Amino acid sequence: MAALSEEVLLVVKKVRQRKQDGTLYLMAERIAWGPEGKDRFTVSHLYADTRCQKISPDGKAKIQLQLVLHTGESTTFHFSNDSSALKDRDAAKELLQQLLPKFKKKANKELEEKNRMLQEDPVLFQLYKDLVVSQVISADEFWANRLGDTNHADPSLSNNKQEVGISGAFLADIRPQTDGCNGLRYNLTADIIESIFRTYPTVKEKYCENVPHNLTEKEFWTRFFQSHYFHRDRINTGTQDIFSECAKQDEQGLKSMVVQGVKNPLVDLLSLEDKTLDEGYGVCTTLPSTSNSNRSVKESSNSAIIKRFNHHSAMVLAAGSRKGETPANQASETSNTDGNSRDSVFFQPPVKKPPLYAFKHYTTSQDIINSVNYIQHEMVNYKPNLTQVLSSTTASSAIAALSSGGVLMQAATQQAINQMVPSEVQGELKHLYAAAGELLRHFWSCFPVNTPFMEEKVTKMKSNLERFQMTKLCPFQEKIQRQYLSTNLTGHLEEMLQTAYSKFHIWQTRRMLRKT
Amino acid sequence: MLNIEGLLVHFPYDYIYPEQYSYMLELKRTLDAKGHGVLEMPSGTGKTISLLSLIVAYQKVFPLEVSKLIYCSRTVPEIEKVVEELRKLMEYYSKQTGESNNFLALALSSRKNLCIHPELMHANIVVYSYHYLLDPKIADLVSKELTKKSVVVFDEAHNIDNVCIDSMSVNISRRTLDRCQTNVETLQNTIQKIKETDATKLKMEYRRLVEGLKEANVARETDVYLSNPVLPDEILQEAVPGTIRTAEHFVGFLKRFLEYLKSRLRVHHVVQESTPQFLKDIFDKVCIDRKPLRFCAERLRSLLRTLEIADIADFSAVTLISNFATLVSTYSQGFTIIIEPFEDRTPTIANPVLHFSCMDPSIAIKPVFQRFQSVIITSGTLSPLDIYPRILDFRPVTMASFTMTLARTCLCPLIVGRGNDQVALSSKFETREDFAVIRNYGSLLQEMSAIVPDGIVAFFTSYMYMENIVAAWYEQGILENIQRNKLIFIETPDAAETSMALEKYQEACENGRGAILLSVARGKVSEGIDFVHHFGRAVIMFGVPYVYTQSRILKARLEYLRDQFQIRENDFLTFDAMRHAAQCVGRVIRGKTDYGLMIFADKRYARADKRGKLPRWIQEHISDGSLNLTVDEAVQLSKHFLRQMAQPFRQEDQLGLSLLTLEQLESEEMLKKISQIAHQT
C-alpha cells in the first residue's frame, strides 16, 4: 500500500470505478480507490484538490457518488453492494461533507486568487492558454512566481474587492417547481443559502443548531420552505415549527429598530407635527383598532405581508452595508443650489447619515461643470518647470529621428505589418511574443545559476523553450509560409530564442569544464 | 435690493426667480389694500423667502401699518425651514445696513418650549404652528393678545379647512366618560379638602364669578384680545349663572351631564341630530339648561385655577366634556351630532362613540379674518383657488396662481388610463377588486421600477386599498419581480414603523440600490415628507384619492356645504381628491434643478373636471398626447424624459429664463413677461 501510515477513516467495499470492482478508502487527507485484488490505488485525490461531490438522485437505479476536482476532471464511484449500497454511499457522503470544507478554504483561496487574476487580465489568460493548457509548462511553474509577485506588489488590490450585496429578490429566485406528483421542488444554490444566511442571521443560527445533529440539511430546508416563516401570509400553525422562534426574534429586532427611532428628523413622522390634537378632539379619531381580536384573518395576513416586506428590505440593505461600514460621513446633500432660495433642499439639519457603501454622494452636473471650470482655470495658470527639460537641439534631433524618414523610422515595420498581414496572424504573433516573453523571463531569471535547484530549473526552462519552438513557433512559421507571407515575421522571436540557447550553451560548457 | 412697486426690498440672494418677483408684487398689493389674499406658487420656487423679504421690508418702511408678521406652518421641519430662511434674511440685513438687528423674531415649535405672552406681544415676527392660532383651546392661551396690525400667513394651507374643522370637533367614547368620571371624583375630593383648609379661596372665586367675565369683555372691546370662538360675545356680558357658581354645584352639574351622556351612548342604532335637538333632549331628560352649558368650559377653567391644580393633562377628559358642552350650546348651526354604537367594519363589537363634528371650517377661522388686517393663504397646491374663499367664508382682495418658469421641463405628468391589454385602469369602486386592473397596476410599477433610477414613490387611495393590492401582487409574484430591480418599503398605520421604513428607503436611494415606497394619499408621508432629487424620480398615483364617502360625518358635511355654500357634493369631493393627488405628486418636485415623473394611473384623470382642478404649474405640462396612455406608451415617454433630464443642467441655462440677475430683472422686456406669470382668478 502506498501509505500505510495514513489514518483510514472509512473503507467501503464493492465500489466500482470504470466498470471495475474495487474498494474505496477515505483517509485523513485524501480519497483513494484500488481495484479488487490489487495492492495499490489507481485513483487518489487529495481533498484539497476536490471542488465538490455530487450524488445520484434518490430513486435512480445506480447509486453513485461523483467527485469533481478543481481541474474540472471528475471521478465517479458506483456503489454496487446490493444490500447496503445506499447506506454505503451516504456514509461516504456524510464523511466527505465534513472533510471537504476543511480543505476547501485553503485551496479555494488560492484557486480563487488565480481565477481572479486570469479573469481580470486577458493577456495573462492567453498566456495561460498558450503555455499551460498546451502543456508547454506546468501550471505550478506558471504560477510559481506570479502569485508571489502580485501578492507582494499590491496586496490591497486583491483584498479591496468590493463586497457584493444581496439581490433583493433572492427569495424569488427559488422558484418552486411542481415535481408532477403533488409536491414542490425548490432549487437552492450555495449563493441563495448564503443570501438567506446573511439576510436572516436567525435562520443561520437555527441551521447551526440543528444541522446535522437533529436534521439533515435537506430536512432543514424542507422545513424552512414549509414554515410560516417563509410564507408570511400563512397564519402561524403551531409552536413545533422551529422557525417560529426566528419570526419572534425578527419581530423583536424590528421592534427594537422602531424603538430606536430614526436619526434623520426630516423623516421622523412622530415629531412631524408640532401640536397634534389631544385625544378626543378632531373629526375622525376612530382609527382602525390595532388589537388583533377584531381584525379578520385576511387583514392580519395582509399586514404580515407588509411587515415582512419592510423587514426583508431592511435586512437586505443591512446585509449589504454591514461589511463596508465606513465611518459615518456627513454625506453632503446634492448641493446644486442655483443661487436662490430653495425651499426644500435648503434646510439641512445636522444629521448623521447612515453609512453608505457604494456611492458616497451624487455628483451633480453643476459639480462636474464646476470642476471642469476649475481645471481649465488651473491650466491657464500652468507654468512649466523649464530647468528639467531637454535642450532644444536634443529635442529637435529626437523629433527628426522619430519623424517619417528619420533614423528611427526607417524600418517602419509596424506599419508594414499592419497592412501586410491579416489581423488574425497579427493576433497570433502577439500571443507568441507574449508566450515567448514569459518563457524567456523564466529562463533568464535563473541566472546567475548558483544552486542545484536553479540548475535544474534552467535546464527545464531550456527544454521548455525548445518545446515552445517546436510546438508553437514552427507551426506558425509553416503557416505563414503557406500563406506566402514574409517569414521575416518570426525573425526577431527566433533571435531571442537563439540568444537564450547560446547563453545556455555557454553556461553548460562552463559547468562541464568546472566539473571536469 | 429690489424695487417692488416703489418698496425697496432686501433679498438675500444674488439671483431671483421671475415668479418670486411676481409673487412679491401680488403680496404687496394685498398688504397695501389691507385685505386677505390667496396665492398659489409651486414648492421649490422660494415662496418662504419671498414672503419673509417682502413683509419684513414692509414692516421696516411702514411700521405703523404693519407691526407684526405671524407666520404659520404645518410641520416642525417646515417651521424650522422658515426660521432658517429668516436667519439668513436677518444676517443679510445687518450686513447691508451695517447696524445690528433690532428685529425680534420668535419661533414656537413645541409645547415644551411654549413661551409666554409678553415676548409674543413684542416680537416682530412670530413663527409657529397653525394650531396656536386656529385651535381655540390653545389660541386663547398663546395668541389672544396679538395686535390687529399683523399680517398672518398660513403656509402649506391646502388643508386649512380640515385643521379648522378638527380644532372644533369632539369625539366622546365610553373610555372618555369613564376617565371623566374619575376626574369629577377627584375634583369633588379636592374641593372637600380645600373647604376644610382654605375656604376663603372658594369664596373669592365665587365673588369673581359674580363679577362675571367683564374683564374679558373689556379686553375684547378695547381690541386687546383675539376673540375666542368658543367664548361667544354674549357670554361676556353676563355673569356665570347661579346654578353652577359654587364649586359643589358645578361638580354636581357635571355629574348630571355625565350621566346624561352615558345614557346617550347606550344606543343600539345610529343616531344623528342637530345641536338644537340635542339641547332640547338634554333639557327634557335631565333639565339642563342651555345657559349653564355655555359657561361650562370657562367655569371649569376657573375651578382648576382656584384649586391650583398643576397638571391639567390629568383632567383632559373633563376638559373635553366641558368644551363639548360649551360648543354644543353655543352653535346652533354648522355642527352635527352623530352617535354610532359600533364601527362599521366591526358591527359585532360594541364601541359607542358620540361624534360632535364641525362641518363649517369658517367658524374656527372667522376670528382670524376679523381680527387681522391681512391674512395670506398660500401653498404649492391651492387649486381651484376660488373654493377656499367660499368654504372659509372670506373675501380676498387678491387671488393668484403662479407657474414655475422653467428652462427645461423638469416635470413630466402622464395619465395612464389603460393597461397594455387595453383594460381601463381605475380605482373606482366597481372595478376596485378587478383582477385585471390590479395586475395592470402591478405591471406599471414593475416596468417603472426597471427604468427609473433611484427612488420611486407610489401612492394608493387608502390604506385598505393598498393592503389588498399588495396582497394580490404578492400572490401574483409581481412584488418578487419588482424586488429584482428595487427594494420595497411600505407605509404602515404605525408612524414609528413607517419612519423607519422611510429612513431605510432613503438609505437605499442613497447607496445606489434604489427603492420603492408604497404609501397612502392623505397619510403622513403624503403630507409631510419631501422626496427631493434622487429620493423621488417618479411618483405614481394609483387611482383618484377620493375620501371614504360612506362615513356619516362626511355625508353630513357634504349636505351642509350644499345647503350653506351652494357647493355640489361631487364638486367638493373631486376638489378634495384632486388636492390630495396634487399633494402626492408634488412631493417629487422640490425645485427647479429637481426633476421627476408624475404618473396619474387612472383614466378619470383625463377628464376635464379632474384635470382642471390640478395646480396650474402641473396642468400646463399635460399635453393632449399624454392623456390616455397605455403602460407601454408611458414607459416609452418616461424613458425619453429621463434621458433628457440626465443631461447636464447648469446655472447659465437658467439665467435669463427662470433665474434672473438684478439687471435682467429690471429690463423692460422681462417685466412684461413677469406680468404674465401670475394668473389672476
Side-chain angles (χ1 to χ4, degrees), chain A residues 225-261:
Chain A
F225 289 120
Q226 287 170 345
S227 69
H228 155 71
Y229 188 65
F230 183 64
H231 300 275
R232 275 306 162 78
D233 50 337
R234 288 188 195 166
I235 297 311
N236 205 343
T237 42
T239 42
Q240 70 269 52
D241 183 354
I242 54 168
F243 295 102
S244 59
E245 205 177 306
C246 294
K248 263 181 227 148
Q249 282 180 15
D250 279 357
E251 206 147 287
Q252 248 157 25
L254 196 67
K255 255 189 209 141
S256 72
M257 273 198 270
V258 168
V259 168
Q260 265 178 11

Side-chain angles (χ1 to χ4, degrees), chain B residues 2-9 20-21 24-25 28 54:
Chain B
L2 303 168
N3 184 342
I4 311 277
E5 282 187 348
L7 178 72
L8 291 181
V9 174
Q20 285 180 313
Y21 181 81
M24 286 195 256
L25 219 58
K28 177 174 179 289
L54 189 107

Side-chain angles (χ1 to χ4, degrees), chain A residues 165-173 175 230-233 254 257-259 261-290 293-295 298-299 301-303 305-314 316-318 320-321 331-334 336-349 352-362 364-366 369 373, chain B residues 11 13-17 20 44 46-49 74-77 80-81 84-85 88 108-111 129 131-132 135 137-138 165-167 169-171 175 179 319-320 323 343 345-346 349 353 355 454 463-464 467-468 470-471 474 479-481 483-484 487-492 495-504 506-513 524-525 528-530 532-535 553 590-593 648-651 654 659:
Chain A
I166 290 172
S167 155
F170 70 81
L171 285 177
D173 291 332
R175 292 257 148 180
F230 183 64
H231 300 275
R232 275 306 162 78
D233 50 337
L254 196 67
M257 273 198 270
V258 168
V259 168
V262 292
K263 296 185 200 97
N264 185 346
L266 287 182
V267 299
D268 190 358
L269 296 169
L270 289 172
S271 66
L272 209 55
E273 269 185 63
D274 178 29
K275 158 76 180 70
T276 47
L277 289 165
D278 285 325
E279 197 186 335
Y281 298 96
V283 171
C284 278
T285 46
T286 46
L287 285 168
S289 40
T290 41
S293 55
N294 50 6
R295 299 208 67 178
K298 183 158 176 281
E299 278 168 346
S301 101
N302 284 355
S303 75
I305 292 174
I306 286 176
K307 273 217 171 85
R308 178 184 168 181
F309 270 101
N310 279 340
H311 181 249
H312 175 80
S313 297
V316 167
L317 201 59
S321 47
S332 58
E333 167 64 20
T334 44
N336 47 355
T337 46
D338 51 11
N340 193 295
S341 69
R342 303 171 38 67
D343 262 2
S344 45
V345 183
F346 185 76
F347 171 66
Q348 194 66 30
K352 252 196 167 181
K353 291 262 175 119
L356 316 168
Y357 74 92
F359 304 112
K360 289 282 158 45
H361 62 87
Y362 283 62
T364 62
S365 40
Q366 190 66 45
I369 293 161
N373 288 344
Chain B
F11 190 74
Y13 293 95
D14 296 337
Y15 303 98
I16 185 169
Y17 295 140
Q20 285 180 313
K47 221 170 16 232
T48 307
I49 192 64
R74 274 210 355 261
T75 65
V76 175
E80 283 171 345
K81 244 181 312 192
E84 196 59 36
E85 291 276 17
K88 192 162 222 177
L108 304 188
S109 69
S110 163
R111 271 194 290 181
S129 151
H131 300 277
Y132 294 101
D135 189 339
K137 301 175 287 289
I138 318 172
I165 282 178
D166 274 340
S167 69
S169 298
V170 172
N171 302 289
R175 209 171 77 93
R179 284 175 46 220
T319 314
L320 181 81
N323 276 337
E343 281 176 47
R345 285 168 359 111
T346 51
I349 300 155
V353 180
H355 300 281
D454 303 319
Y463 194 76
M464 280 261 273
E467 236 180 19
N468 288 335
V470 166
Y474 175 73
L479 289 180
E480 287 181 350
N481 287 329
Q483 277 184 319
R484 289 178 207 281
L487 293 177
I488 299 174
F489 295 96
I490 307 172
E491 179 174 359
T492 73
E497 235 174 86
T498 308
S499 303
M500 197 200 69
L502 254 174
E503 194 176 55
K504 299 279 174 203
Q506 292 202 341
E507 193 183 327
C509 291
E510 192 88 56
N511 74 18
R513 195 184 255 280
K524 285 202 160 155
V525 173
I529 304 296
D530 288 342
V532 205
H533 293 280
H534 57 284
F535 293 138
I553 298 172
R590 305 317 271 184
K592 294 190 177 187
T593 53
F649 184 59
R650 54 186 120 197
Q651 200 182 48
Q654 281 204 63
L659 188 67

